[in-house]
């Protein structure tokens, strides 16, 4: 019988290192020609982890979010669009309003889109003015119309041609304004450059597409509305699709990969989950661009207990890597700290997917509430009975057979602040791991990593011991 190992069974052996400073370590990875990340961390498509807010934060910090599929197609599309609208170099289709729009309507739009400035245009898209919070914040009459409140065209600084961000910077500096409408000779809207986007563009760490928009992924299944869902997500501008099913080494899954690649050959496709060499090979043969690995390691998973099936995650990564040649793999589930992430990467993963480590943050869906005097947020397994019921309600799935729950229904994660804070700490730990292994980048980590299997006593020694401490 083969032996299966996981993160706590091993340590990485320290190696001679030329690295002067941990900040010199390059954590970037290429998942696909269109998907480059500066931080090898992806947030899990779980309904208590990844919606638009999480995806925006993940991308701003160099990672990637995969929007979950446990909602209607319309809702998932809305989430994707929010991420794609969050940052731009040039907004090509700025949200415009009619001069007859009331202040009440403007305020509603502001909540819907999460920004405060709108271009006012006539029915031919000719620019009439601009309305920003400064124009309406103190106005009490909600029936006032946009044309009564806006800054009129004559007072605006506009550009009659597309300009670069560097040129925009000069205009922002010179006129101390925050918006530059781009128009043609007939005053028709061509685009909009905002100071906020300019400021965001200075963040070189962010994961972006070629137009400066943040990268975002979205999950689909293999039954019910999956094809329709994929089509709408692609139409909404999703950068990467993820076939997210518990048992990815299914013939139906393989058929879905082929189908998706036939319809959308240019959209990068993650497929999984698998935990074997054969699984990786079969999914790659079907056309998957990236393989997702993990059967049962997740914090909210009960698959191994219910079904008796799974492969300890470190062995699963090594097996999948041996069947994937140059195709990147994502280690999904089971990481409880930065040390686990370093081990997952060292075993051959290009990135890790995290659920519980990113749940309980400001950006994870759901409210903060008190449980035993602690601030917590809900967290649940996506194969749990509760998540399943919710999925049937919001998708067109109509299964003939009701599966048993393979996940925790009502879990809680202690509130931990912003995702940025969590990622910053994880990143520092990962840099430390690379440094001990003498690896300046992921390729060197793969070459240099040497694991040592440890005993229970070795594991105990790894934990803090002997001293008394408060937490
Ligand atoms: P972590 O450990 O980061 O794991 O919280 C996140 C991953 O766990 C998987 N997942 C599940 N697996 N039953 C399972 O067997 C479930 O109900 C379940 N929910 C999530 C998933 O791969 C996720 O990314």
């Amino acid at each position: 019988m083969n032996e299966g190992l996981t993160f706590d069974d091993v340590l990485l052996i320290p190696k001679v290192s030329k690295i002067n400073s941990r900040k010199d370590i390059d954590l970037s990875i290429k998942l696909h020609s269109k998907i480059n990340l500066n931080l090898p961390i992806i947030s899990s498509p779980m309904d208590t982890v990844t919606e638009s807010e999480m995806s925006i934060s993940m991308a701003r910090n160099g990672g990637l979010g995969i929007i979950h599929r446990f909602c209607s197609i319309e809702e998932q599309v809305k989430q994707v669009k929010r991420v794609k609208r969050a940052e731009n170099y040039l907004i090509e289709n700025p949200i415009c309003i009619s001069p007859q729009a009331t202040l009440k309507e403007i305020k509603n739009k502001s909540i819907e889109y999460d920004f405060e400035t709108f271009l006012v245009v006539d029915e031919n898209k000719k620019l009439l003015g601009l309305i920003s919070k400064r124009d309406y914040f103190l106005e009490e009459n909600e029936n006032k119309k946009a044309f009564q409140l806006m800054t009129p065209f004559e007072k605006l600084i506009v550009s009659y041609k597309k300009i670069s961000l560097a040129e925009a910077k000069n205009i922002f500096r010179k006129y101390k304004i925050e918006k530059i409408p781009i128009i043609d000779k007939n005053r028709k809207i061509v685009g909009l450059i905002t100071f906020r986007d300019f400021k965001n563009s200075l963040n070189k760490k962010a994961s972006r597409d070629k137009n400066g928009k943040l990268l975002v992924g979205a999950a689909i299944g293999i039954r019910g509305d999956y094809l329709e869902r994929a089509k709408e997500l692609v139409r909404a501008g999703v950068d990467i699709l993820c076939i997210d099913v518990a048992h990815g080494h299914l013939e139906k899954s393989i058929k879905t990969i082929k189908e998706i690649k036939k319809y959308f050959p240019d959209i990068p496709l993650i497929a999984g989950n698998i935990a074997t060499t054969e699984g990786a090979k079969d999914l790659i043969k079907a056309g998957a661009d990236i393989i997702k690995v993990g059967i049962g390691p997740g914090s909210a998973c009960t698959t191994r207990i219910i079904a008796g099936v799974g492969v300890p995650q470190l062995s699963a990564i090594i097996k999948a890597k041996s069947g994937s040649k140059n195709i990147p793999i994502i280690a999904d589930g089971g990481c409880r700290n930065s040390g686990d992430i370093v081990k997952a990467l060292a075993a051959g993963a290009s990135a890790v997917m995290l659920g519980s480590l990113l749940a309980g943050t400001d950006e994870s869906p759901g409210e903060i509430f008190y449980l035993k005097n602690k601030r917590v947020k809900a967290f649940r397994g996506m194969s749990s009975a509760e998540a399943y019921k919710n999925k049937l309600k919001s998708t067109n799935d109509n299964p003939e057979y009701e599966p048993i729950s393979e996940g925790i229904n009502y879990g809680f994660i202690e509130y931990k602040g912003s995702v940025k804070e969590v990622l910053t700490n994880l990143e520092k730990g990962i840099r430390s791991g690379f440094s001990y292994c003498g690896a300046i980048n992921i390729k060197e980590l793969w070459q240099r990593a040497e694991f040592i299997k440890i005993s229970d006593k070795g594991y105990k020694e790894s934990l803090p011991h002997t001293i008394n401490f408060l937490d």
Side-chain angles (χ1 to χ4, degrees):
M1 196 189 297
N2 288 335
E3 188 175 50
L5 298 175
T6 194
F7 302 128
D8 282 348
D9 294 319
V10 299
L11 286 169
L12 283 155
I13 296 178
K15 293 283 168 80
V16 63
S17 173
K18 286 190 195 138
I19 294 159
N20 265 334
S21 164
R22 289 172 184 179
K23 83 171 179 355
D24 297 338
I25 292 166
D26 173 12
L27 294 183
S28 68
I29 49 144
K30 191 188 205 71
L31 283 180
H32 182 271
S33 58
K34 295 179 182 165
I35 309 286
N36 295 295
L37 308 183
N38 284 317
L39 184 66
I41 299 183
I42 299 173
S43 67
S44 172
M46 298 171 77
D47 66 357
T48 48
V49 179
T50 311
E51 289 183 349
S52 56
E53 259 195 90
M54 175 64 75
S55 292
I56 290 170
S57 217
M58 289 303 295
R60 282 190 175 145
N61 287 290
L64 178 74
I66 310 283
I67 308 251
H68 72 84
R69 64 186 173 92
F70 297 83
C71 55
S72 65
I73 296 176
E74 295 72 40
E75 181 55 35
Q76 200 183 14
V77 161
K78 199 164 105 192
Q79 301 285 339
V80 166
K81 283 187 174 168
R82 257 196 215 139
V83 185
K84 294 311 288 180
R85 270 200 172 274
E87 291 188 18
N88 312 265
Y89 291 155
L90 170 75
I91 305 170
E92 281 178 341
N93 291 305
I95 304 292
C96 298
I97 55 169
S98 126
Q100 297 303 326
T102 62
L103 178 55
K104 192 167 174 45
E105 288 164 343
I106 295 166
K107 282 183 177 170
N108 286 342
K109 262 209 157 116
S110 172
I111 294 168
E112 184 184 346
Y113 290 103
D114 194 24
F115 46 75
E116 294 161 346
T117 305
F118 299 95
L119 298 176
V120 184
V121 297
D122 70 8
E123 59 283 359
N124 298 317
K125 282 235 154 189
K126 184 173 163 189
L127 183 63
L128 303 176
L130 183 145
I131 185 158
S132 72
K133 192 113 186 174
R134 259 179 298 176
D135 296 311
Y136 63 79
F137 187 63
L138 297 175
E139 177 56 54
E140 285 168 6
N141 180 358
E142 292 206 317
N143 294 320
K144 269 216 169 155
K145 303 273 174 77
F147 75 90
Q148 296 171 296
L149 297 164
M150 69 188 188
T151 304
F153 176 78
E154 294 67 33
K155 289 195 179 165
L156 297 179
I157 304 294
V158 298
S159 170
Y160 283 90
K161 61 175 178 61
K162 283 192 182 177
I163 51 174
S164 67
L165 278 178
E167 289 168 304
K169 179 181 168 186
N170 289 334
I171 298 176
F172 288 134
R173 189 165 45 199
K174 184 165 170 196
Y175 296 102
K176 299 186 172 57
I177 54 169
E178 297 200 350
K179 307 280 180 307
I180 310 170
I182 315 287
I183 50 178
D184 67 13
K185 60 181 190 318
N186 300 316
R187 265 167 68 178
K188 265 176 98 168
I189 303 290
V190 173
L192 177 70
I193 298 183
T194 72
F195 184 69
R196 181 156 73 162
D197 281 336
F198 167 72
K199 224 167 67 183
N200 284 332
S201 75
L202 301 176
N203 169 15
K204 299 297 174 211
K205 192 170 185 186
S207 315
R208 298 180 195 281
D209 65 18
K210 62 180 188 325
N211 298 316
K213 293 174 190 287
L214 298 174
L215 293 180
V216 63
I220 56 168
I222 56 172
R223 297 178 204 282
D225 62 14
Y226 70 98
L227 201 51
E228 178 63 17
R229 192 173 279 268
K231 277 183 196 161
E232 294 304 323
L233 290 166
V234 171
R235 207 198 308 262
V238 79
D239 297 286
I240 181 163
L241 286 172
C242 173
I243 299 179
D244 173 48
V245 291
H247 183 19
H249 202 183
L250 271 183
E251 282 183 8
K252 174 86 180 106
S253 205
I254 288 170
K255 201 174 134 252
T256 307
I257 296 172
K258 290 182 181 160
E259 221 175 347
I260 297 290
K261 283 314 283 187
K262 189 177 104 196
Y263 281 105
F264 316 107
D266 298 332
I267 299 287
L269 180 65
I270 305 172
N273 280 15
I274 53 94
T276 59
T277 306
E278 297 70 38
K281 280 185 180 164
D282 286 348
L283 269 47
I284 290 166
K285 204 163 130 207
D289 299 299
I290 301 149
I291 300 298
K292 193 149 75 76
V293 179
I295 303 286
S299 57
C301 298
T302 55
T303 297
R304 293 181 187 171
I305 306 304
I306 297 293
V309 174
V311 177
Q313 185 67 341
L314 193 83
S315 294
I317 298 166
I318 293 168
K319 283 172 194 291
K321 181 75 175 175
S322 77
S324 69
K325 294 200 182 116
N326 293 326
I327 298 288
I329 63 178
I330 297 170
D332 176 17
C335 291
R336 298 148 304 163
N337 46 51
S338 50
D340 290 347
I341 299 176
V342 176
K343 291 173 190 175
L345 297 173
S350 291
V352 293
M353 178 171 271
L354 304 180
S356 55
L357 274 181
L358 299 171
T361 52
D362 291 322
E363 292 84 349
S364 64
E367 301 304 318
I368 299 172
F369 55 96
Y370 279 88
L371 187 76
K372 294 185 187 160
N373 285 330
K374 289 204 161 132
R375 290 196 293 169
V376 298
K377 281 183 121 175
F379 179 67
R380 65 177 177 186
M382 297 321 300
S383 303
S384 65
E386 285 302 309
Y388 183 75
K389 265 194 258 162
N390 187 49
K391 185 179 80 168
L392 293 192
K393 246 192 278 161
S394 53
T395 65
N396 282 329
D397 201 356
N398 190 14
E400 295 159 359
Y401 173 78
E402 187 181 331
I404 189 164
S405 168
E406 288 181 21
I408 301 293
N409 277 309
Y410 302 105
F412 305 99
I413 301 277
E414 198 169 340
Y415 170 68
K416 43 176 115 102
S418 71
V419 161
K420 186 179 174 59
E421 231 174 290
V422 172
L423 291 178
T424 302
N425 286 328
L426 290 177
E427 178 175 339
K428 285 186 177 171
I430 299 169
R431 287 183 182 277
S432 182
F434 273 57
S435 169
Y436 279 111
C437 293
I440 195 78
N441 55 32
I442 189 87
K443 280 204 179 113
E444 281 195 15
L445 186 72
W446 291 336
Q447 285 156 7
R448 297 173 68 94
E450 189 185 343
F451 286 106
I452 182 168
K453 190 177 155 194
I454 59 173
S455 64
D456 283 353
K457 292 186 192 77
Y459 175 67
K460 267 195 203 147
E461 184 188 63
S462 302
L463 301 171
H465 54 82
T466 316
I467 56 167
N468 293 316
F469 42 90
L470 290 174
D471 48 354

